[in-house]
Every structure is written in structure tokens, then in C-alpha cells.
Amino acid sequence: MTQKFTLNVNGTSHTVDADPDMPLLYALRDDLGLNNPHFGCGLAQCGACIVHIDGQPARSCVTPLSAVGNAKVVTLAGLGTPEKPHPIQTAYVEEQVPQCGYCINGWLMTTAAFLRDKKNPSEAEIKDALSGLKCRCGTHVSILKAVKRAATMMG
Amino acid sequence: MTKFESTSSLSRRSVLLGGGALVVSVGAAMTLDTMMSMQAAYAQGAKPPLTPDQLSSYIAVNADGTVAAYFGKMDMGHGLHVAIAQIVADELDVPFKAVKVYMGDTGTSVNQGGASGSTGIQLGGKQMRMASAEARRVLVEMAAGLLSVPADKLAVNDGVVSATDDKAKRISYAEMIGGKYFNVQLDWNKQYGNTLYAPGKAQPKNPKDHKVVGQPIKREDVAPKVFCQGDFCTDIKVPGMVHGRMIRPAVAGSVPVKVDEASIKDIAGAKVVWDKGFLGVVANKEWDAIKAAEKLKVEWSQVDAPFPEQAQLYDHIRKAPVRKREVEKQNGDVDAAFASAAKVIEAEYEWPFQSHASMGPACALVEIKDGNVTCWSGTQKSHFVQLGLAATLGVPVEKVRVIHKTGPGSYGRNDADDCASDAAVLAKAVGKPVRLQYMRDQGTGWDPKGPASIHKARAALDASGKVIAYEFFSKGFSRVDVDTNGSKPQDTLAGQTQGVALKSGDGFGIPAESYAFDNKRAGWETIPPLLDRSSPLRSSHLRDPVGPQIHFASESFIDEVAAAVNADPIEFRLRHIKEARDVAVIKAAAEKAKWDTRPSPRKDQTGSKVSGRGIAYSQRNGTRVAVIAEVDIDRSTGKIFARKFTVAHDCGQLINPDGLVKCVEGNIVQGVSRTLWEEVTFDKKAVTSVDWISYPILDITETPGQVDVVIINHPEIAPSGAGEPSIRPVAAAIANAIFDATGVRIRRVPFSPERVKAALS
Ligand code: FES
Ligand code: FES
């Protein structure tokens, strides 16, 4: 049975009519048209679907709507804009990280939360914080450069 | 202002009569010949047919003077479109920013082969260069007539043609042809795909006159990706679209015998599409389609489990009947040389099936409307998928348009083409547009695999330790058990599950190097697939098809021979390599990495943490790469950290150094991943590596700390590829570094901690 859920996403409230067990990812992508979180695995193994829920990175592919409540959901679109970019977005452009770009969402969302809480991280701390995220194209070398650049910007 | 009017009505008669078809405000006299050649070269309002012999199929000048380049290949993440725009801008003499490259849309480009074999610049760029040069020639000729200035007294700057001795005499491309189409015939070689070539009369520029080519121009498509403004193929939606999911058997080869549609009757809009082995569901909402696929009760046919135990894989390959044998290289009398050898060194190497395991499982959207089929796909080869969909749906090719949109990663023949065909079958069956995305287990478990193989190498030495003969043979599954694209239903899961007669192809390869031995033989043997139909272990192209496995073996073996004669691995290679560009990449890498010349293994380390360095080199279709790996090994855990790479890369003329460096970095990281971690696992019934736990790839904590790329630029040599060559030597470079550190030779990939630990103990 479907139910009505009111979601607070990027500061706007939306109503979605869906199964309580439907993962947040599908509400964001299909109902709200927010394409930034991607489906990579649906198994909490890759990070492509990460959003912030009350400021914490969460894997929306395994977060049922019923568990979201009135928490504040922020997607990559809510992280920054071309006019007002988040430092990690600026750094990604500066370092020209992409290959296919499908994984970007997870790295940016995880980095943003990490650098907010941790100033001047060491390389080992950065790697640790990002461990588990997947990038099949192998952009890791550039990702590390971008995260270090963003860390400096957020100093 | 000078302008043409009503150009399509420009006829020989109107020119002859000096009639009003043409208004030339400069008012100068023109010869009839000039006028006629202008007519022939000139634009027309209606687009000529989209065929390879038309200039308009590649280049158009918009009304605002910007240039559209229509490219029948596409970017797979390296920023190929930037390089193509650089080439077009240089040849046409327009600003880089004025060029926009449209890629991989069958509605706007001809079949240049798609993303294939690292030929984006090598072949695709070559054609775009020739087309752009021809466009410039035509435009200058037109300007010559219009300005009454001989063509050799004209110069082009930023899309404006002007007289070199009178700058007031000028006319822009936009004024001459903006918004219209070239009506210019090219000399097409009648080939489609990678080999398509259609030059005009123009000669391309001398590389020393290139201004944009060679520059580190950045990608404009990075910002849209980080600000979520670009579409992936997964993001496309059309009105009335429903969602599809496929259902695959738990035992490979079995087919549904009973499908209980009532089991999903509670799910809104859920429908079953079943035809022989093809089984999918659609529903209005994506989550509903996922649930329907999970819930649907299906009875499957009983079949014998088709696969050997995984532990038997290499035995199976050794014993399997040879379907095709090919000796690709042979010189001297190899057998006689081996018979006379004082010493023979032999080794065998093994490489597993590997998965594309793209970042997301494939996705395609197919809409069939008024007899027209449109497909949005992440495929590497839209034009081939166009053929495949036409065949699958039984419609004429002209009725099918395939639009490439960036997919969730693609490294060869991944699951994208299968997905497009499956989506087409679903869309036809339900009469609605269907967006199909596979699930993770299907993306990793059911994509066509990189073939598993064994490789035997042997070298004959004379009494002085000189190599007098060398032989290298691979035996494995074919790289084209299913073809490299989905152009034929027999090569897609949709076709195979629906019973299309199959034709498994044969192909492998040999080491690409220039070692000169007096007696040398290299070849391969292919074996039949384990299951001839709808197999999750069907093999096809995975980035640098069969390159990593062949060169893992051949470059490990060269190292083994070097060690056997107590020579430094580089010094030994340089003794035998005959091509100067190969020597140059090796020397460049050695110099950059500060290579310490001495035989391997090193003998000065004790304790559990040891380090080593290794080199490997190879060619690939004109490109040459040398890779030096520096690795740390923890003997107590078997864990390898491939800490630093130095890569020397020569792909002829350099188009964009930034793009090239990124491309090499990706190759190295993916190469490390495939070497250290990747192996498709299976039991007798099915593939069991189906997600990121069961098919692990390199984690960021294991990422090389440093990748130094030395680019060797040869502006005088036509550019060759960079998308794949540098992944080739990675595994051998690591294996050779492990040997250097430990004295132990690892001959089976992946070098997982358990395997390394076992080998070291
Ligand atoms: S899609 Fe959610 S973690 Fe992979
Ligand atoms: S850029 Fe393609 S998966 Fe990371």
C-alpha cells in the first residue's frame, strides 16, 4: 500500500505517494526529478546514491522512505551551484577529475561532510574517509588531488 | 555586405546570364569557372543525405559562425570531444570555443565505429581533420570568388577570410554559409566503422602550423557534471514511459517453462514480457518494476549445470579442444633453434575472466512511436546498436535512431548493448516507451566477460646465455565469442534468449613488441565457450581486449629471461628491442623513475615489509608505452601496495596533454585494480561475482600515491591511440616489481593477498 510522505529536500518540501519500503533514491530521482544521486548498486556498496540526511552522508538506495521522517535531505544539487559552488565542486572542476562522472555524486557528498567536520586532514585521513566509495573509471589519483585542494580552500 | 541569395536556385543558366540569383556587393568580375566551382561547393538550404561521402555529415557552420562537428564516435570519459574540437578548430581556423562536437547520435552522424580500439583520435580525429580541411578549402575558394582575390592571397582568422594585402576585403564563414549546409562530395572509401575515411581535395595543415592542437585545453563538461546539469542515459525520461527489469535464470542456460503472472497482480501496471528465454517485467514506477521482478513466480527448465568448478578453469582451458589456431608472427627456424639450445626457460601464466563491472548497471530507454524507434543508450557504438534494434524489431534501419548519452562507465562491450536490445523488446511488447536499467547483479554477473586464458612462453639460450629462440602462445576463450557490439541479434542476450541462431567468433592476439630474436614465433588458440547460449561467461571486448593478459605473460617472461641471464631488466630489453620509439619510451621512463640498474631480485631486504621495482613495455596500434611500477609488499599478509607508477607514453602527435595524462592515470588505476583484485567467480551453475563485495575493485586506500606521466610528443607522426595502451603493461610491471622485491614470480592474476601470501611462504 502506498502512503503519503512529506520530504524536505534541499530546503523545499515535497509530497510523495509511495510504498513505505521504497528507497529514498527512487523518490528523489523519479518523483522529484533530482538526478544527482545515481543508482550504482542498490546495496550500499558503492556510494553513487549518497545524499545528506540531517548533514550525514547516507546511502539513499537502502534508506526506506519510512525512515526519512522530517529529516533534512540535501542532494548534490543542494550542495552548491555554479554561482555559489561548494569548494569540492570548484576543486573537481579545477582538477578536471571526470572520466564518465557517474560516481561523482558519492565522492562529492562524502567529501563535503568530511571536510566540514575535519580541517586540514592528512592524506591517510582522507583516504580513510573515502574508503568504500567506488570509481570504476579509476579517477582516484585526481580525486585525491581535488579533495586536498578543497581541504586547503576550506582550511 | 556580401551575401548569396536563393542559392539553391543558382543554376548554370542564371550564372551565365548574370541573372539575379547572385548578389555580390563587391561587384568585381568573376570568371565563370570560379562561379561554377562556388556553386558546386556552396551550401544548400536542405540537408544533403547523412552519408559518409557528404561534407555536411561532419561539419556545419551555424548562422552565428559557430561550428558544429558531427562525430560518429563518442567520449567514454577521457574528454575526447575536446581533442576533436581542437583538431577541427585548427584545421578550420576558427576559435576553439566556436566548435561544438556532437557525438554518437545516429540521427546526426555517420558510422565512424563508435568508441572502439582507442581510435577516437587516431581514426575518428583523422576523418574530422580531413573534413575540416576540406570545409576550409571550400570556404576560402568561395571567398576568393566573392572578394575577387586569389585564394593564395587570402588568410583565415577566427572564421573570417580576408585578403592578405587589403584587410578591408573580408568575409566571414557565417556570412558565406552560416545556417546552410555544405553541398560538397567527399572521396569516401566505402567503409563504415573505424576504417571509414572520406577526404576531400584539401591537404590538412602541416603540424607545425597547429595552434590549438597540443594545448592543455580543459573540458567544459566537468562543471555540468559536478553541478548536476548534464544528463546521463539513466536520466532520460519521455512522456508515458514505464520501467522495465529483466529476470535471469539462477542456472545459466535454463529458460522459463511456467510464469505465474498472477503473482504480481497486486503491483500497479505490472506486466510480464515472456518469449522463450526472454523474461522481463514492466511497471509504471521503477520501484514497482524492481519488486515485480523479485516477486514474479517462475518455473525454470531443468538443465545440466554448464560450467566446470572454478578451480578447474585453467585445466579446462589446457585440455579444451582448439577451435582455431593462428600463428601471427614467425621468423627463423624456431624448432631447430630450440633443439640446439643449451638451456630452455619456460613459464606459463594464467588470467581469469574479468567483468566490465561498470559503475552502474546498463540503462536504455526505447520509444517506438509512429513506426519510429528512438533509443537513448550509454552504448559505445550507437550506429551498431541501430542495426541491432532494426533487426531485433524487424524495422528498416532508417526508422531507428540511437542517441548516445553518457552511461555509467563503459570499457568495451559491457552490458549497454544488451540492455538496449532488451529495452526494445520490452517497448515493442507493451506498446509504451520503456526505460530499462539492469540491477547490480546483472551488471556484474551478466555482462560479456573479458576472456580467461593461459599463456605459454619459452626461450632458448645458447651456451653463452644468448637468446637464440623465443616462442609465445596463448590459449583461451575468444575475444569475440560475442561480437564487440550489438549489431546482430545473435550477439545480444535478447537475440540469444529468443532463439536466434548463434555464431561464436574466434579472435585473440599476440604480444605487440619489437624484440628481435633470430627465431621467433607467436600465436594463439581459441576454445569453444562453456555455454553456447545466453551465457554469463560469454566473452568479448574488455578494455584493451586481451592486451593485459597477453602482456602480463609476455613481459613477465622477458623479465624471467633477464633474471635467468642475470641482467638488469631494462638493460636486457634494450639489448633486443629494435624500434627506436620503443627504446625511447623505456629510456624515458627509466630516467624519470631514476631506475637503479641491477639484476632482479634485489638481495638487500629483510623483514616482512619489502619493496621492489619492475618495468614492462608494449606497443598498441602505433602507440608505445613503458610502465615502471614501484610496489611495497607485506610478506606477512600478502598485501601489495602499488605505490608509484612512472609511465612514458608515445602516441605520436600530442593533441591535449591534460587529456592524455588523465587518460593514462585512469588506465593505470584500472590496471592495478584488474591485476590485484579482479576475478569473475563462478560455480557450476552461474557466475557468483555479482556485486562489489564478490567482485572487488581497487579501493582509494590502495590507490597509487603517484603516477608520473612522461609524454613523448612526435608532432610529425600522425596521432595514435591512448584510451587503452597504458593499461597493457601494468600487470607485468607489478609482477616484475614483486619478483624484484621477493624473488618470487607470481604467474596468476589477480595478485590477491591470499595468493601472494601463499606464493611467498
Ligand atoms: S547505489 Fe547506493 S551505495 Fe551503490
Ligand atoms: S568516473 Fe566513471 S566511475 Fe568514477
Side-chain angles (χ1 to χ4, degrees):
Chain A
M1 277 303 285
T2 62
Q3 242 173 271
K4 279 206 188 325
F5 292 92
T6 304
L7 298 173
N8 179 338
V9 183
N10 299 334
T12 312
S13 118
H14 302 265
T15 309
V16 171
D17 194 14
D19 262 355
D21 61 350
M22 181 173 93
L24 175 61
L25 175 69
Y26 300 101
L28 296 173
R29 288 186 56 84
D30 297 341
D31 297 304
L32 273 49
L34 288 166
N35 284 334
N36 6 124
H38 292 292
F39 177 83
C41 65
L43 304 164
Q45 293 176 359
C46 76
C49 64
I50 289 178
V51 298
H52 291 177
I53 297 183
D54 282 340
Q56 291 313 309
R59 308 209 168 191
S60 66
C61 69
V62 292
T63 307
L65 278 183
S66 58
V68 180
N70 26 11
K72 289 196 176 70
V73 178
V74 173
T75 71
L76 183 55
L79 199 65
T81 61
E83 296 72 40
K84 233 176 148 269
H86 187 282
I88 186 60
Q89 290 171 312
T90 306
Y92 244 67
V93 175
E94 289 292 318
E95 293 292 345
Q96 293 275 294
V97 177
Q99 296 222 347
C100 78
Y102 199 76
C103 66
I104 285 179
N105 178 74
W107 297 95
L108 295 191
M109 296 306 284
T110 308
T111 302
F114 168 62
L115 292 182
R116 178 197 61 208
D117 299 339
K118 177 85 200 169
K119 300 296 164 201
N120 303 313
S122 67
E123 170 144 352
E125 286 169 330
I126 293 173
K127 284 184 167 180
D128 218 42
L130 301 175
S131 181
L133 298 175
K134 301 291 181 279
C135 171
R136 181 50 163 156
C137 295
T139 63
H140 304 61
V141 177
S142 296
I143 291 172
L144 285 174
K145 287 184 193 157
V147 175
K148 284 183 209 160
R149 183 187 279 260
T152 309
M153 289 166 72
M154 292 170 78
Chain B
M1 193 184 83
T2 305
K3 62 173 183 151
F4 281 169
E5 282 176 350
S6 183
T7 50
S8 53
S9 67
L10 183 70
S11 66
R12 185 176 177 85
R13 182 175 162 79
S14 68
V15 173
L16 283 170
L17 297 176
L22 194 64
V23 180
V24 183
S25 65
V26 288
M30 265 186 275
T31 66
L32 178 60
D33 274 1
T34 310
M35 293 294 287
M36 292 313 294
S37 68
M38 281 163 52
Q39 178 194 7
Y42 194 52
Q44 56 186 45
K47 193 169 185 339
L50 183 61
T51 49
D53 59 351
Q54 288 292 331
L55 180 55
S56 58
S57 298
Y58 309 94
I59 299 287
V61 179
N62 297 311
D64 63 359
T66 57
V67 171
Y70 300 107
F71 193 38
K73 289 183 171 289
M74 56 282 264
D75 177 49
M76 286 297 128
H78 305 139
L80 173 62
H81 47 296
V82 179
I84 296 301
Q86 288 177 267
I87 290 170
V88 170
D90 246 350
E91 239 17 271
L92 257 176
D93 280 317
V94 296
F96 169 79
K97 281 199 169 356
V99 182
K100 183 160 168 55
V101 182
Y102 297 86
M103 295 181 282
D105 177 348
T106 65
T108 62
S109 64
V110 296
N111 184 350
Q112 290 184 264
S116 165
S118 301
T119 59
I121 289 172
Q122 186 167 19
L123 300 175
K126 177 179 170 191
Q127 173 55 25
M128 298 310 280
R129 179 183 292 294
M130 296 311 282
S132 305
E134 179 67 356
R136 183 189 187 279
R137 183 192 71 77
V138 162
L139 288 161
V140 168
E141 195 170 297
M142 286 167 63
L146 293 164
L147 301 175
S148 289
V149 174
D152 62 356
K153 294 275 186 301
L154 291 171
V156 189
N157 274 305
D158 290 351
V160 177
V161 191
S162 57
T164 44
D165 54 3
D166 180 0
K167 291 277 184 262
K169 285 191 178 172
R170 64 206 304 272
I171 186 166
S172 70
Y173 288 173
E175 286 167 317
M176 289 189 281
I177 200 170
K180 300 202 177 76
Y181 298 97
F182 285 104
N183 178 24
V184 176
Q185 191 91 20
L186 302 174
D187 186 14
W188 175 36
N189 67 355
K190 300 289 186 293
Q191 308 266 313
Y192 284 103
N194 287 342
T195 52
L196 179 153
Y197 186 51
K201 297 194 186 78
Q203 287 301 313
K205 286 186 177 173
N206 188 314
K208 71 177 173 17
D209 298 324
H210 290 164
K211 298 188 195 99
V212 189
V213 161
Q215 299 302 314
I217 294 176
K218 289 192 169 179
R219 291 173 64 168
E220 78 304 334
D221 62 331
V222 175
K225 283 184 167 141
V226 307
F227 295 115
C228 337
Q229 294 162 331
D231 283 332
F232 286 87
C233 70
T234 46
D235 299 333
I236 310 292
K237 295 186 171 83
V238 296
M241 172 185 107
V242 295
H243 291 271
R245 285 297 183 274
M246 295 303 296
I247 297 158
R248 305 278 180 223
V251 182
S254 82
V255 296
V257 289
K258 201 164 151 200
V259 177
D260 177 13
E261 194 151 7
S263 59
I264 56 167
K265 68 176 184 325
D266 294 343
I267 299 176
K271 275 203 187 77
V272 173
V273 178
W274 177 25
D275 176 23
K276 303 187 189 76
F278 183 100
L279 182 61
V281 291
V282 299
N284 298 339
K285 293 192 71 172
E286 189 168 12
W287 180 242
D288 288 339
I290 294 168
K291 277 191 308 185
E294 273 168 16
K295 274 193 165 176
L296 186 70
K297 281 207 189 118
V298 184
E299 209 178 287
W300 297 89
S301 65
Q302 297 295 318
V303 292
D304 291 339
F307 303 140
E309 291 289 357
Q310 180 162 12
Q312 308 303 317
L313 174 63
Y314 298 113
D315 267 0
H316 172 91
I317 295 174
R318 276 184 191 93
K319 290 184 194 138
V322 172
R323 197 167 67 177
K324 181 164 183 191
R325 177 185 166 90
E326 195 150 310
V327 175
E328 285 193 23
K329 198 186 257 179
Q330 176 144 248
N331 61 268
D333 188 340
V334 176
D335 298 325
F338 271 101
S340 73
K343 185 177 176 190
V344 173
I345 303 164
E346 283 179 284
E348 270 190 50
Y349 305 84
E350 297 158 334
W351 190 283
F353 284 110
Q354 292 186 326
S355 169
H356 297 81
S358 295
M359 186 65 199
C363 180
L365 167 58
V366 173
E367 179 180 49
I368 306 174
K369 205 163 130 189
D370 308 326
N372 294 307
V373 181
T374 311
C375 169
W376 289 263
S377 164
T379 177
Q380 291 198 176
K381 305 194 182 192
S382 335
H383 296 83
F384 292 103
V385 170
Q386 180 190 25
L387 299 173
L389 296 194
T392 300
L393 297 171
V395 300
V397 178
E398 318 77 75
K399 293 284 179 194
V400 182
R401 178 175 183 182
V402 178
I403 302 170
H404 167 77
K405 284 275 174 191
T406 303
S410 186
Y411 320 98
R413 171 77 202 274
N414 72 350
D415 46 346
D417 292 16
D418 289 301
C419 188
S421 303
D422 282 342
V425 173
L426 294 176
K428 182 178 177 185
V430 301
K432 289 180 184 165
V434 174
R435 176 191 181 275
L436 168 66
Q437 185 159 27
Y438 290 152
M439 299 303 283
R440 182 72 260 165
D441 59 333
Q442 297 170 339
T444 309
W446 283 87
D447 67 315
K449 302 297 186 291
S453 51
I454 59 166
H455 309 266
K456 292 187 193 196
R458 57 182 189 137
L461 308 183
D462 68 10
S464 71
K466 179 176 175 249
V467 179
I468 53 169
Y470 170 71
E471 185 178 48
F472 186 92
F473 259 85
S474 301
K475 185 179 184 190
F477 296 97
S478 169
R479 62 189 271 178
V480 285
D481 172 30
V482 290
D483 206 352
T484 65
N485 60 68
S487 63
K488 296 187 261 353
Q490 73 194 25
D491 291 318
T492 64
L493 284 177
Q496 296 194 355
T497 52
Q498 292 182 104
V500 174
L502 303 174
K503 191 170 176 295
S504 167
D506 287 290
F508 213 86
I510 62 167
E513 32 76 348
S514 67
Y515 295 112
F517 297 118
D518 291 342
N519 305 286
K520 182 173 173 180
R521 179 158 59 211
W524 52 265
E525 297 170 339
T526 45
I527 63 171
L530 294 169
L531 170 66
D532 69 353
R533 177 179 298 272
S534 318
S535 172
L537 287 174
R538 67 202 185 285
S539 46
S540 190
H541 280 189
L542 168 61
R543 194 186 201 168
D544 187 25
V546 300
Q549 40 274 68
I550 289 171
H551 297 85
F552 159 57
S554 63
E555 281 294 287
S556 289
F557 185 69
I558 290 291
D559 236 58
E560 298 210 38
V561 180
V565 299
N566 203 31
D568 171 79
I570 287 187
E571 193 270 323
F572 180 79
R573 282 174 171 80
L574 295 180
R575 239 185 254 171
H576 298 287
I577 287 173
K578 70 166 183 283
E579 290 182 23
R581 287 172 71 194
D582 297 16
V583 169
V585 285
I586 290 177
K587 285 187 169 168
E591 190 185 330
K592 177 75 182 172
K594 302 199 171 55
W595 181 266
D596 172 22
T597 302
R598 54 168 174 78
S600 288
R602 57 190 281 193
K603 306 211 167 66
D604 56 346
Q605 300 184 103
T606 50
S608 76
K609 305 231 160 120
V610 292
S611 303
R613 56 39 167 170
I615 182 155
Y617 116 93
S618 74
Q619 305 177 343
R620 192 184 197 282
N621 296 340
T623 296
R624 297 111 212 285
V625 189
V627 172
I628 292 174
E630 293 172 51
V631 308
D632 300 332
I633 299 144
D634 185 337
R635 300 180 64 109
S636 65
T637 60
K639 187 120 198 217
I640 289 168
F641 177 43
R643 173 174 31 87
K644 182 183 166 201
F645 285 85
T646 308
V647 184
H649 197 282
D650 169 3
C651 53
Q653 184 189 27
L654 174 66
I655 309 295
N656 184 324
D658 281 11
L660 177 56
V661 168
K662 295 276 175 228
C663 185
V664 170
E665 283 178 4
N667 268 291
I668 297 299
V669 173
Q670 199 176 72
V672 175
S673 179
R674 286 175 65 181
T675 305
L676 298 187
W677 289 113
E678 296 184 32
E679 175 168 38
V680 169
T681 60
F682 55 91
D683 60 21
K684 291 179 115 170
K685 292 188 240 154
V687 167
T688 52
S689 48
V690 290
D691 58 20
W692 296 117
I693 307 288
S694 48
Y695 193 82
I697 61 171
L698 197 76
D699 189 61
I700 189 131
T701 50
E702 305 157 332
T703 296
Q706 198 178 338
V707 178
D708 289 339
V709 183
V710 183
I711 299 172
I712 300 179
N713 184 16
H714 282 290
E716 75 288 0
I717 297 174
S720 46
E724 299 165 282
S726 52
I727 200 171
R728 225 166 225 209
V730 171
I734 296 173
N736 295 341
I738 295 171
F739 176 75
D740 185 52
T742 64
V744 173
R745 191 46 75 179
I746 309 224
R747 300 192 183 91
R748 180 185 287 184
V749 162
F751 308 159
S752 57
E754 310 77 62
R755 194 168 289 159
V756 172
K757 197 174 161 191
L760 293 180
S761 60

